[in-house]
């Protein structure tokens, strides 16, 4: 099975303009993400997908692989599908967000392994347990509930499930996806669904169309970069890693 890791990156960001090129310990953030993703053992290659020449040039200057995509994609899935269409020999596409400079390479490998174990699997993603009440109730943290076999039942920005009984675990969805290439191309052409629109969560489109999404639990903690405060925190982590 041939696996391609695609890292979509847009220059525009409401809270942190030019986010992919922000410096993290001497390198642009997008290059940090690329380096971490490239350490995964089960991928044939990692590639940055962008609609901005500045990001493209930064990645190429770093020695990485990048591809220019159209500027008018309404969603990240559409950008991902454009790249997938250019690689007909690829079986599996793993989508790593361009603002996850601390992505664990082992987690990318774990996603790929799930498809080796189940040939019928079309789509998979990741979750981690959250125990902090404020974090659980934050609508920016997407929650997911799964069945006994680890397939998603629903995703929501609301607290999920309702904590009528103390001790019920709450799982935060991590926006890392893996798709069979052929499924991704079909998925990107599906129309927006009612629940997807209500929650503003693309993955609900797959569930509403009757597809199953495998959800892998991980103990890893992620520090994505959405704000200047996040950027400072990640810079501190990288400095600590360098001095370890």
């Amino acid at each position: 099975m041939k696996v391609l890791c695609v890292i979509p990156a847009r220059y525009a960001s409401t809270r942190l303009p030019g986010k992919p090129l922000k410096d993290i310990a001497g390198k642009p953030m997008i290059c940090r993400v690329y380096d971490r993703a490239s350490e995964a053992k089960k991928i044939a290659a990692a590639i940055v997908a962008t609609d901005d020449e500045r990001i493209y040039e930064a990645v190429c200057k770093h020695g990485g692989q990048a591809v220019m995509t159209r500027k008018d994609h309404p969603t990240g899935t559409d950008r991902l599908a454009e790249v997938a269409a250019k690689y007909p020999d690829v079986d599996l596409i793993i989508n790593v967000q361009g603002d996850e400079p601390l992505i664990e390479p082992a987690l990318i490998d774990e996603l790929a392994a799930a498809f080796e174990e189940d040939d019928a699997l079309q789509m998979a993603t990741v979750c981690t347990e959250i125990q902090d009440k404020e974090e659980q109730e934050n609508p920016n943290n997407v929650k997911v509930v799964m069945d006994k076999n680890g397939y998603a039942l629903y995703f929501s920005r609301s607290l999920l499930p309702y904590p009528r009984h103390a001790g019920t675990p709450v799982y935060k969805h991590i926006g890392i996806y893996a798709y069979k290439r052929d499924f991704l191309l079909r998925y990107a052409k599906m129309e927006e669904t009612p629940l997807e629109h209500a929650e503003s969560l693309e993955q609900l489109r797959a569930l509403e169309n009757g597809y199953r999404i495998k959800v892998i639990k991980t103990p890893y903690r992620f520090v994505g970069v959405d704000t200047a405060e996040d950027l400072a925190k990640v810079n501190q982590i990288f400095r600590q890693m360098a001095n370890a």
Side-chain angles (χ1 to χ4, degrees), residues 207-226:
L207 295 184
E208 287 184 85
N209 277 285
Y211 293 97
R212 303 174 79 194
I213 304 175
K214 184 75 173 181
V215 184
I216 295 172
K217 295 178 184 178
T218 179
Y220 295 123
R221 292 291 182 265
F222 295 83
V223 183
V225 178
D226 289 317

Side-chain angles (χ1 to χ4, degrees), residues 155-177:
F155 297 85
S156 181
R157 296 184 183 278
S158 300
L159 179 57
L160 193 72
Y162 181 80
R164 184 173 292 278
H165 301 288
T168 302
V170 176
Y171 291 99
K172 175 182 177 180
H173 173 231
I174 306 299
I176 303 163
Y177 295 95

Side-chain angles (χ1 to χ4, degrees), residues 29 32-33 36 96-104 174-176 222-225:
M29 179 168 65
R32 289 291 185 186
V33 180
R36 295 278 290 186
V96 171
Q97 300 303 314
D99 57 5
E100 293 283 356
L102 292 167
I103 181 67
E104 284 288 341
I174 306 299
I176 303 163
F222 295 83
V223 183
V225 178

